[in-house]
Amino acid sequence: MTTSAPTSTATPTVLLVHGAFADATSWSGVIAELQGHSIPVIAPPNPLRGLATDAAYVASVAAQIDGPVVLVGHSYGGALITVAGATENVVGLVYVAAYVLEEGESLGELQGRFPASPLVSNLKQWTYPVAGGDPAVEVTIAVDAFPSVFAADVPAEVTKVLAAAQRPLAAAAFEERATAAAWKTKPSWALVAGADNAINPEVERFAAKRAGATVVEAEGASHAVAVSRPKEVADLIREAVRATS
């Protein structure tokens, strides 16, 4: 595949985009692995307020990084890097247990092609204020279901903390359509979490194959694969960094 970014001999900076029901600390193990190999890395907060605004934020962060960037998206973060990856200095995309949207497609449409995951029946609704309008809806995972849905292969004492600290996703994000599909012009890699109960693994496989991504399977891995298997995730990111350096 070709890229729209200028050729560079510099090591790309890895920009990690977390998904819903998590924060940037979910990348801690992956960050440590990458830093151990002297790969520059940044993990900004994902606003989780909507596909268009969140992707614009990620694109803005990427554009302000000096040199090439490899975008890495977990879960909903995959949808964001699909759009934000059109940024000129982005040279590669890595999807981790993630949504890989087609241009004009929504999360709901992609998910709707396959049987629903246990996540769907375990979402708790909240509301949040919107300036000048009615309150909007956001969702989290019910605390008692969080371990089995999100992090079944993570120690129980860790999942308790993750469940308490989860960040909600604006419900409207499920219906917004992607305005770009950067994988059409940028090389991509994808890790499929084989025991994912948040996103049906078949959704991950189908979308990664459609994008022409280099795919690896993490058999038995939960949705929180970056927490439970940081080395495997970092190894795939390192492969993308090597290929785009």
Side-chain angles (χ1 to χ4, degrees):
M1 290 187 182
T2 59
T3 75
S4 60
T7 302
S8 172
T9 56
T11 300
T13 296
V14 173
L15 197 165
L16 301 168
V17 183
H18 69 81
F21 323 124
D23 62 24
T25 62
S26 60
W27 292 114
S28 295
V30 174
I31 291 170
E33 289 282 343
L34 296 175
Q35 289 178 337
H37 288 87
S38 300
I39 295 171
V41 58
I42 180 174
N46 178 351
L48 300 176
R49 296 295 81 173
L51 182 54
T53 56
D54 295 343
Y57 176 75
V58 172
S60 173
V61 175
Q64 294 175 73
I65 293 172
D66 186 24
V69 172
V70 169
L71 288 180
V72 182
H74 173 247
S75 189
Y76 166 67
L80 303 187
I81 71 169
T82 296
V83 177
T87 306
E88 185 178 4
N89 64 325
V90 172
V91 294
L93 309 166
V94 182
Y95 296 93
V96 180
Y99 294 107
V100 188
L101 297 181
E102 171 62 277
E103 186 174 354
E105 184 177 53
S106 70
L107 297 174
E109 286 174 336
L110 176 56
Q111 288 189 140
R113 296 169 180 256
F114 299 90
S117 73
L119 171 72
V120 177
S121 58
N122 286 290
L123 291 175
K124 177 177 172 57
Q125 290 195 354
W126 306 75
T127 61
Y128 64 97
V130 177
D134 295 329
V137 176
E138 60 185 12
V139 292
T140 59
I141 302 173
V143 171
D144 60 346
F146 188 92
S148 63
V149 169
F150 196 89
D153 58 350
V154 176
E157 63 272 18
V158 177
T159 63
K160 284 183 179 181
V161 175
L162 295 178
Q166 61 178 305
R167 291 183 54 212
L169 173 66
F174 290 101
E175 305 307 322
E176 283 190 63
R177 299 181 186 278
T179 56
W183 48 260
K184 292 183 176 181
T185 57
K186 312 284 175 87
S188 60
W189 291 259
L191 183 145
V192 174
D196 198 329
N197 285 325
I199 301 176
N200 185 332
E202 288 302 320
V203 172
E204 298 171 20
R205 291 187 190 100
F206 164 80
K209 181 179 179 182
R210 180 177 63 180
T214 299
V215 181
V216 298
E217 289 262 350
E219 292 186 15
S222 76
H223 192 60
V225 62
V227 178
S228 62
R229 305 189 189 185
K231 186 179 185 303
E232 286 183 46
V233 173
D235 284 348
L236 183 63
I237 297 170
R238 288 172 57 213
E239 181 180 330
V241 168
R242 284 195 300 268
T244 56
S245 291

